[in-house]
């Protein structure tokens, strides 16, 4: 590049310099913002993340104490979400890569639906959680069983809402992993007289396990930080205990941060708590995403 | 061509289409039992497509269809009564690239066997040994049967794939350019193996290497642009072909 | 002759598994329909109850209380709160209980109005801003006519004031707010994302690329509350310092926050599109004597244009649908002002901040769901455009020529 620019007239070289610099600046700016954000959280919240902070209940109307119920609630939520969502996502990905004729209308519809689902604003999932899971399913179950525990926001309905929200994340990641399994390997198995199903179970899925794992981790990472979708589906800002049943309400790290920073009567007082909560939430999603990105880049190289 | 040997595979006006594109044009051929039959021709001439049509591997590709008859052991394999899985269990296949499963050597050999039947460990052991011996690989790997097959060299991997195909005890072995990715020494070993295996199996070999066809096969067919131009004893094809296209190809005037 | 290849083994298990997988695969399609259906179903209560209300207002007001199905906006809020299907998650909370005493504030969130650092200029009791208070007197005169107007004309009003004696559901300020913040977010986020993608795809050395790309992808994993919080405490002060804006939280702060959510989306899709441009195109251009930058800007970027366009469209989708950042960083006041330094309130933020305090089944509830339908339809439309139009053009460009 140096050799070609040096033979050019000065204005052109300036434009060239500017063209490269502006792209570089954009990349540096984005990186700078990310670093600035993380740096501000670490420097302001680093001291607040102590064992007592992690293991204690909030006290005095969320102005003192720790975040244990929020941490536990978030964990329970994403675990339940994974159990509900990952099997469906994996099955869909298996359908798309192994069974679907690529130009069939059904395969194309599934693909379109997955992309659409990925673009639906998370708040709409929240409304869907209210309208479908609580009002329709919950009240339906209550009416049927004669109970009164399902027709209200709960851990179960929040996890179900998030499972739908993260479904495209799982599908895309697992599909990518399945496609990375060489076609030859499938043919070798089929040529040995294995059925399509045996090939999937014995050859394709074992070779795509890391990808299924990546999908689950990405989904968990997305679900752990998602607040808008669960705002009205079962999250609560104060709880005396860790939920012991899926029909109970729960505390959530992201929602806790939201409440502390915008809904609390004295925001300044709890600022250290807010920073520490942010750091924990970010650390959690950061770790999950980093793991997934690393696994995936290793997978792509293979 | 000798007519005294029974035919294992016969086709009558067999045509094959990828969507609207016709890849094989009215192939009629009789492949004799327990002989090595080689198919040669320039790349894209349809020889691999023909090979993959015998055990219906092309079914896996969307939008393909066939016409005419592909008869194996007296049964049209594209008829409704044929179960493609059972068909493939009777026809072994070796691919261009050696593709061992990312499992141990032992598991690679037993993969096809344990799919549907429970076989005792001692039976499996003896089958593994006999297959690896048939593939001339036993002495090289007998001490590391439980190591990953991916640790073998390219030539060893290809022989393992042959052993794996032999393990399901097929009547027919289809080989799709099995030596194209191998060095000359490994190629020599595989060719030796092919000559030994032809007493037991009907072998159909696709190769782009004319010398290889001349060395190992009993009969040779020449494909060009989806048509079978000529099919005869290998010696006849290479010394006095009856078609001009064959002669041009053999003498290296194109392809 | 006997058939040696006939099926020797029935495999009903596999048949069942195969079809269950097909069935499960339809879940995504089913979900799309369910979302539309059930969000619309809840929104439909709006139109049903609105008819009931219109009928009720024509009869004496005492009669309207006896109609169990109708929602009566005149009824005291406390009475509404005692209805069985009221959703009141904060009922046990002491601070909320205190507020219960205040008129017209049933079970609502403790709004930050008492917070000195982040003065919430939007008054949740009246739904009005201080500056607009003089308008109220005029409006009081129109009360009777407002009551009788249909839902649709209510929605087209100029004010969003869902709580109060005369609820007003004019979505205009919300649409203006959404437009304002989304525009700012795209103006900041799209160029940054595209240029960063261009840098990573063409100019960066391999080793740099392997650091920059995952780092920006990591930004996509930042929870939006975290971005919102960052804007609330850091960006807001910074912007106020350099602009001297009268309000700490405003559309610019919110727009920057949304841009942070938009950048990774625009970046990764644009980067994919740029990397998908055939290498031969680049080599051909370089072979003709163009420099790297000329090739990048004049050959590669235009070649990937449909993909970059798709990236921006999906970025827009993310910006207008984003809720938490919009609630936390925009000031969240339903103003009809186009000024970027004044607060804004987006449609999504309105749903997010009011759904928790609304009486389930009420008119307000229906309006919020109706806005949810709007969001869904809009995002669906954006996605359909990218899927059906942009991708086709991209494929044509690379294969058809």
């Amino acid at each position: 590049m140096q050799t070609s620019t040096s033979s050019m007239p000065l204005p052109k070289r300036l434009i060239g310099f500017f063209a490269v610099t502006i792209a570089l600046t954009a990349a540096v700016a984005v990186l700078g913002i990310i670093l600035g954000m993380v740096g501000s959280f670490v420097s302001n919240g680093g001291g607040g993340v102590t064992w007592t902070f992690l293991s204690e209940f909030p006290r005095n109307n969320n102005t003192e104490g720790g975040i244990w119920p929020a941490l536990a609630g978030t964990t329970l939520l994403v675990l339940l979400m994974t159990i509900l969502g990952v099997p469906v996502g994996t099955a869909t990905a298996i359908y798309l890569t192994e069974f679907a004729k690529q130009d069939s209308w059904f395969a194309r519809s599934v693909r379109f639906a997955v992309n659409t689902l990925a673009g639906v604003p998370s708040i709409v999932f929240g409304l869907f959680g209210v309208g479908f899971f609580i009002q329709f399913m919950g009240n339906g179950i209550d009416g049927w069983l004669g109970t009164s525990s399902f027709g209200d926001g709960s851990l179960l309905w929040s996890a179900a809402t998030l499972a739908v929200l993260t479904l495209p994340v799982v599908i895309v990641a697992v599909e990518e992993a399945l496609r990375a399994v060489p076609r030859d390997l499938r043919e070798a198995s089929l040529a040995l007289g294995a059925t399509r199903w045996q090939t999937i179970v014995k050859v394709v899925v074992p070779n795509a396990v890391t990808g299924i794992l990546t999908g689950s981790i990405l989904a968990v990472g997305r679900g752990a930080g998602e607040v808008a979708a669960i705002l009205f589906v079962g999250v609560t800002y104060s709880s005396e205990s860790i939920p012991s049943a899926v029909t109970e309400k729960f505390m959530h790290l992201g929602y806790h941060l939201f409440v502390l920073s915008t809904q609390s009567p004295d925001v300044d007082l709890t600022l250290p708590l807010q920073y520490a909560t942010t750091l924990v939430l970010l650390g959690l999603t950061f770790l999950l995403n980093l793991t997934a990105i690393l696994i995936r880049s290793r997978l792509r190289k293979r | 061509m000798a007519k005294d040997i029974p035919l294992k595979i016969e086709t009558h006006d067999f045509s094959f289409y990828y969507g609207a594109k016709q890849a094989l044009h009215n192939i009629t051929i009789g492949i004799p039992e327990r002989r090595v039959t080689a198919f040669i021709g320039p790349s894209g001439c349809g020889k691999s497509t023909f090979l993959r049509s015998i055990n219906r591997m092309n079914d896996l590709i969307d939008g393909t269809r066939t016409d005419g008859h592909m008869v194996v052991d007296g049964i049209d394999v594209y008829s409704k009564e044929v179960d493609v899985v059972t068909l493939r269990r009777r026809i072994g296949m070796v691919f261009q690239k050696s593709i061992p499963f990312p499992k141990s050597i032992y598991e690679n050999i037993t993969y096809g066997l344990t799919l549907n039947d429970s076989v005792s460990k001692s039976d499996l052991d003896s089958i593994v040994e006999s297959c690896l011996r048939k593939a001339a690989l036993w002495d090289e790997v007998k001490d590391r049967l439980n190591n990953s097959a991916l640790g073998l060299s390219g030539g060893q991997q290809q022989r393992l794939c042959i052993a794996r195909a032999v393990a399901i005890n097929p009547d027919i072995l289809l080989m799709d350019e099995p030596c194209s990715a191998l060095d000359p020494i490994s190629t020599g070993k595989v060719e030796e193996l092919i000559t030994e295996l032809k007493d037991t199996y009907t072998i159909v070999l696709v190769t782009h290497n004319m010398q290889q066809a001349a060395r190992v096969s009993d009969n040779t067919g020449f494909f060009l642009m989806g048509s079978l131009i000529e099919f005869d004893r290998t010696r006849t094809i290479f010394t006095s072909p009856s078609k001009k296209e064959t002669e041009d190809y053999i003498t290296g005037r194109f392809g | 002759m006997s058939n040696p290849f006939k099926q020797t083994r029935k495999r009903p298990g596999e048949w069942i598994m195969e079809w269950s997988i097909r069935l499960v695969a339809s879940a995504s399609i089913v979900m799309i329909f369910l979302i539309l259906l059930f969000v619309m179903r809840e929104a439909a209560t709006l139109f049903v109850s609105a008819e009931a209300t219109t009928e009720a207002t024509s009869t004496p007001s005492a009669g309207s209380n006896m109609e169990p199905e109708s929602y009566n906006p005149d009824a005291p809020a406390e009475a509404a709160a005692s209805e069985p299907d009221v959703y009141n998650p904060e009922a046990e909370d002491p601070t909320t209980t205190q507020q219960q005493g205040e008129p017209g504030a049933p079970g609502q969130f403790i709004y930050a109005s008492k917070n000195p650092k982040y003065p919430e200029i939007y008054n949740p009791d009246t739904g009005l801003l201080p500056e607009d208070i003089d308008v109220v007197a005029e409006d009081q005169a129109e009360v009777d006519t407002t009551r009788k107007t249909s839902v649709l004309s209510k929605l087209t009003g100029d004010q969003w004031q869902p709580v109060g004696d005369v609820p007003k559901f004019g979505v205009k300020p919300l649409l203006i707010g959404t437009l304002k913040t989304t525009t700012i977010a795209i103006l900041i986020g799209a160029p940054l994302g595209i240029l960063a993608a261009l840098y990573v795809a063409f100019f960066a050395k391999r080793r740099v690329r392997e650091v920059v790309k995952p780092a920006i992808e990591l930004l996509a994993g930042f929870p939006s509350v975290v971005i919102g919080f960052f804007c609330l405490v850091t960006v807001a002060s910074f912007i106020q310092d350099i602009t001297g804006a009268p309000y700490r939280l405003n559309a610019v702060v919110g727009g920057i926050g949304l841009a942070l959510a938009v950048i990774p989306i625009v970046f990764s899709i644009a980067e994919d599109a740029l990397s998908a441009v055939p290498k031969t195109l680049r080599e051909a251009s370089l072979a003709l004597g163009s420099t790297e930058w000329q090739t990048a800007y004049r050959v590669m970027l235009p070649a990937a244009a449909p993909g970059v366009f798709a990236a921006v469209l999906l970025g827009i989708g993310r910006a207008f649908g984003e809720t938490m950042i919009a609630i936390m960083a925009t000031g969240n006041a339903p103003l009809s002002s186009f000024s970027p330094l004044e607060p804004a309130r987006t449609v999504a933020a309105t749903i997010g901040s009011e759904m928790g305090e609304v009486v389930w089944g009420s008119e307000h509830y229906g309006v919020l769901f109706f806005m949810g339908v709007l969001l869904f339809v809009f995002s669906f439309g954006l996605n359909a455009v990218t899927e059906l139009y942009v991708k086709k053009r991209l494929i044509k460009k690379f294969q058809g020529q």
Side-chain angles (χ1 to χ4, degrees):
Chain A
M1 201 171 103
Q2 257 81 28
T3 50
S4 60
T5 44
S6 59
S7 63
M8 294 176 100
L10 185 67
K12 269 208 167 173
R13 270 160 62 194
L14 274 178
I15 295 172
F17 176 75
F18 185 66
V20 178
T21 311
I22 194 170
L24 174 70
T25 315
V28 169
V30 174
L31 282 186
I33 295 167
I34 297 171
L35 282 179
M37 251 163 107
V38 176
S40 120
F41 297 146
V42 172
S43 65
N44 289 303
V49 183
T50 58
W51 175 244
T52 41
F53 179 70
L54 295 175
S55 62
E56 278 186 3
F57 273 72
R59 289 191 310 271
N60 203 0
N61 196 22
N62 283 349
T63 54
E64 288 169 34
I67 52 163
W68 168 238
L71 199 56
T74 309
T75 312
L76 288 174
L77 176 71
V78 293
L79 280 181
L80 194 56
M81 171 203 84
T82 313
I83 293 168
L84 293 175
V86 168
V88 177
T90 306
T92 307
I94 287 178
Y95 166 74
L96 285 174
T97 50
E98 308 299 321
F99 293 121
K101 284 198 161 51
Q102 294 311 316
D103 51 356
S104 76
W105 69 268
F106 184 63
R108 277 191 301 185
S109 313
V110 171
R111 232 170 258 289
F112 182 76
V114 170
N115 288 331
T116 305
L117 216 49
V120 172
S122 43
I123 192 74
V124 176
F125 285 100
L127 293 178
F128 173 64
V130 173
F132 180 67
F133 288 123
I134 298 179
Q135 299 275 55
F136 181 73
M137 298 261 291
N139 284 335
I141 294 173
D142 276 348
W144 190 42
L145 296 177
T147 54
S148 60
S149 46
F150 290 96
D152 198 356
S154 67
L155 192 59
L156 175 66
W157 298 138
S158 295
T161 306
L162 284 188
V164 181
L165 184 142
T166 54
L167 194 60
V169 181
V170 181
I171 293 173
V172 169
V174 176
E175 203 192 335
E176 191 180 351
L178 292 174
R179 291 209 185 279
V181 175
R183 189 195 158 83
D184 302 349
L185 224 48
R186 293 185 178 84
E187 290 197 342
S189 169
L190 291 168
L192 287 169
T195 61
R196 196 144 64 156
W197 182 249
Q198 287 168 330
T199 303
I200 291 168
V201 172
K202 295 195 162 204
V203 175
V204 179
V205 171
N207 277 285
V209 161
T210 44
I212 296 170
L213 204 69
T214 316
S216 321
I217 296 173
L218 280 174
V220 168
R222 171 89 200 271
E226 183 57 56
V227 177
I230 55 168
L231 273 175
F232 352 105
V233 202
V235 74
T236 179
Y237 74 89
S238 172
S239 165
E240 300 296 314
S241 61
I242 308 300
S244 56
V246 292
T247 50
E248 286 179 23
K249 290 191 192 300
F250 61 100
M251 285 182 75
H252 182 274
L253 274 178
Y255 186 66
H256 190 65
L257 172 63
F258 171 65
V259 170
L260 284 185
S261 63
T262 64
Q263 315 278 299
S264 149
D266 191 348
V267 176
D268 275 337
L269 184 72
T270 59
L271 202 57
L273 288 184
Q274 294 169 32
Y275 271 114
T277 309
T278 308
L279 200 61
V280 173
L281 176 59
L282 193 63
L284 200 73
T285 48
F286 193 87
L287 266 180
L288 289 168
N289 280 299
L290 196 67
T291 318
I293 288 174
L294 286 179
I295 295 178
R296 199 146 64 157
S297 72
R298 187 164 295 178
L299 202 77
R300 275 184 187 149
K301 268 178 201 157
R302 198 175 62 184
Chain B
M1 218 190 120
K3 297 283 176 202
D4 51 334
I5 304 161
L7 296 178
K8 189 73 179 171
I9 305 165
E10 291 167 87
T11 67
H12 303 287
D13 281 334
F14 185 77
S15 296
F16 187 86
Y17 304 83
Y18 292 109
K21 187 176 160 263
Q22 188 169 3
L24 292 175
H25 298 266
N26 302 57
I27 309 288
T28 301
I29 194 174
I31 296 173
E33 198 169 11
R34 291 172 207 243
R35 289 288 181 279
V36 178
T37 303
F39 291 122
I40 56 171
S43 44
C45 65
K47 55 190 192 300
S48 282
T49 302
F50 181 75
L51 190 79
R52 291 165 57 91
S53 299
I54 298 173
N55 66 343
R56 291 180 54 179
M57 287 306 278
N58 285 328
D59 288 15
L60 305 173
I61 301 163
D62 287 348
T64 56
R65 83 193 155 79
T66 63
D67 217 349
H69 301 281
M70 165 72 71
V71 180
V72 177
D73 282 341
I75 301 289
D76 187 339
V77 299
Y78 285 90
S79 68
K80 277 213 166 69
E81 299 84 56
V82 169
D83 175 51
V84 65
V85 172
T86 316
L87 172 76
R88 289 183 191 142
R89 292 190 69 80
R90 301 283 299 273
I91 303 178
M93 189 165 195
V94 178
F95 297 85
Q96 185 170 355
K97 274 196 294 180
S98 56
I99 19 175
F101 299 120
K103 300 168 185 270
S104 74
I105 295 170
Y106 189 91
E107 285 169 321
N108 262 280
I109 307 279
T110 57
Y111 179 84
L113 288 168
T114 51
L115 281 173
N116 294 318
D117 311 293
S118 52
V119 187
S120 74
K121 174 85 173 102
S122 58
D123 284 353
L124 281 182
D125 286 346
S126 65
I127 293 172
V128 167
E129 179 173 347
S130 74
C131 290
L132 285 171
R133 279 192 193 282
K134 275 185 201 164
L137 196 61
W138 174 251
D139 292 330
E140 292 164 55
V141 301
K142 66 181 173 198
D143 300 323
R144 44 175 172 146
L145 290 176
N146 291 318
N147 290 12
S148 168
L150 297 175
L152 299 175
S153 73
Q156 288 173 327
Q157 284 189 0
Q158 192 61 302
R159 279 180 283 149
L160 178 70
C161 290
I162 295 175
R164 184 175 71 183
V166 167
I168 56 170
N169 201 19
D171 303 333
I172 302 171
L173 263 186
L174 307 178
M175 297 189 165
D176 192 355
E177 304 194 14
C179 301
S180 64
L182 301 183
D183 60 88
I185 295 171
S186 305
T187 302
K189 283 189 178 165
V190 172
E191 285 180 6
E192 221 170 277
L193 189 57
I194 293 172
T195 343
E196 278 167 33
L197 291 173
K198 76 171 179 184
D199 297 337
T200 340
Y201 306 98
T202 305
I203 296 176
V204 186
L205 170 74
V206 161
T207 177
H208 61 258
N209 179 338
M210 276 181 284
Q211 284 74 30
Q212 185 172 66
R215 280 194 297 269
V216 300
S217 69
D218 303 295
N219 302 298
T220 298
F222 172 59
F223 274 85
L224 187 64
M225 297 175 72
S227 297
L228 180 66
I229 302 297
E230 193 171 353
F231 181 57
D232 213 323
R233 283 179 182 282
T234 299
R235 192 181 307 163
T236 319
I237 290 275
F238 282 97
T239 52
S240 51
S242 53
K243 295 273 169 51
K244 184 164 185 312
E245 294 97 321
T246 316
E247 194 183 339
D248 285 350
Y249 183 72
I250 303 288
T251 52
R253 251 169 254 171
F254 73 93
Chain C
M1 187 182 287
S2 75
N3 176 1
F5 307 126
K6 94 179 162 240
Q7 191 159 1
T8 51
R9 200 181 297 265
K10 294 264 180 272
R11 305 181 190 92
E14 294 187 5
W15 188 84
I16 292 168
M17 286 311 294
E18 213 179 299
W19 281 96
S20 352
I21 286 211
R22 278 167 202 271
L23 198 69
V24 173
S26 65
S28 305
I29 303 175
V30 173
M31 282 305 162
I32 294 289
F33 281 110
L34 285 183
I35 291 174
L36 191 62
L37 185 71
F38 279 90
V39 176
M40 258 163 68
R41 194 180 92 139
E42 299 300 313
T45 61
L46 165 71
F47 296 96
V48 175
S49 71
E51 278 164 25
T53 312
T54 334
E55 281 166 26
T57 43
S58 62
T59 57
S61 60
S64 70
N65 276 338
M66 290 173 187
E67 297 210 30
E69 295 300 317
S70 74
Y71 169 69
N72 186 351
D74 290 340
E78 280 79 8
S82 65
E83 277 173 33
D85 60 344
V86 166
Y87 176 60
N88 190 354
E90 283 84 25
E92 287 107 0
D93 184 72
T95 50
T96 323
T97 326
Q98 282 169 13
Q99 289 203 341
Q100 293 276 18
E102 294 169 28
Q108 72 185 32
F109 277 89
I110 342 156
Y111 258 92
S113 46
K114 285 178 237 144
N115 161 25
K117 185 164 180 191
Y118 311 116
E120 182 69 58
I121 57 167
Y122 167 59
N123 182 342
D125 291 351
T126 61
L128 284 179
L129 291 157
E131 301 96 311
D132 289 349
I133 278 176
D134 51 336
V135 188
V136 177
E138 281 173 43
D139 285 348
Q140 292 295 344
E142 297 167 17
V143 162
D144 283 64
T145 42
T146 319
R147 263 190 220 162
K148 283 171 191 160
T149 49
S150 73
V151 178
L152 273 178
S153 62
K154 262 188 189 171
L155 288 173
T156 51
D158 287 345
Q159 278 179 37
W160 179 262
Q161 187 192 336
V163 185
D165 283 349
V166 187
K168 291 185 184 133
F169 299 112
V171 290
K172 196 176 142 201
L174 308 181
L175 292 180
I176 290 174
T178 309
L179 189 70
K180 205 158 74 164
T181 49
T182 303
T183 309
I184 296 170
I186 292 301
L187 286 180
I188 299 170
L192 275 179
I194 294 169
L195 285 171
L198 201 65
Y199 173 74
V200 166
F202 299 129
F203 301 128
K205 290 202 177 71
R206 215 194 126 129
R207 203 173 265 177
V208 179
R209 179 165 56 225
E210 277 177 7
V211 175
V212 177
K213 211 180 149 187
I216 299 181
E217 279 172 353
L218 214 54
L219 180 61
F222 274 47
S224 46
V225 262
V226 168
I227 297 178
F229 174 68
F230 179 69
C231 294
L232 188 70
V233 292
T234 308
V235 177
S237 305
F238 178 72
I239 294 295
Q240 197 171 32
D241 284 349
I242 58 167
T243 61
Y247 306 105
R248 203 170 165 280
L249 297 176
N250 53 48
V252 170
V253 178
I256 291 174
L258 294 177
L260 287 177
V262 165
I263 285 171
I265 292 185
V266 174
F267 171 83
S268 50
I269 298 171
E271 208 266 337
D272 276 354
L274 289 169
S275 316
V277 178
K279 282 231 157 56
T280 46
L281 213 59
R282 174 182 191 167
E283 281 155 12
S285 168
L286 289 174
L288 288 171
S290 357
T291 61
E292 287 273 358
W293 66 265
Q294 284 171 325
T295 308
Y297 282 85
R298 293 194 191 153
V299 179
M300 310 301 269
L301 198 55
V308 175
F309 182 56
V312 176
L313 283 187
L314 293 178
I316 293 173
R318 176 75 203 267
F320 79 76
E322 176 53 55
T323 307
M324 299 319 288
I325 299 175
I327 295 181
M328 293 168 86
T330 55
N332 215 15
L335 292 176
S336 289
S337 149
F338 280 96
S339 160
L341 287 175
E342 282 191 53
R345 169 182 265 213
T346 70
V347 173
T350 306
I351 303 174
S353 52
E354 291 179 8
M355 191 64 208
E357 59 189 270
V358 80
V359 176
W360 285 24
S362 67
E363 193 179 16
H364 186 189
Y365 174 91
V367 171
L368 294 180
F369 268 92
F370 180 72
M371 294 195 301
V373 175
L374 288 185
L375 283 182
F376 179 84
V377 168
F378 197 58
S379 71
F380 186 91
L382 268 182
N383 187 64
V385 169
T386 43
E387 279 286 302
L388 302 176
Y389 172 73
V390 177
K391 280 191 182 161
K392 232 173 236 169
R393 289 226 8 215
L394 205 63
I395 290 166
K396 249 188 205 159
K397 213 159 187 167
F398 291 152
Q399 293 176 354
Q401 285 175 0

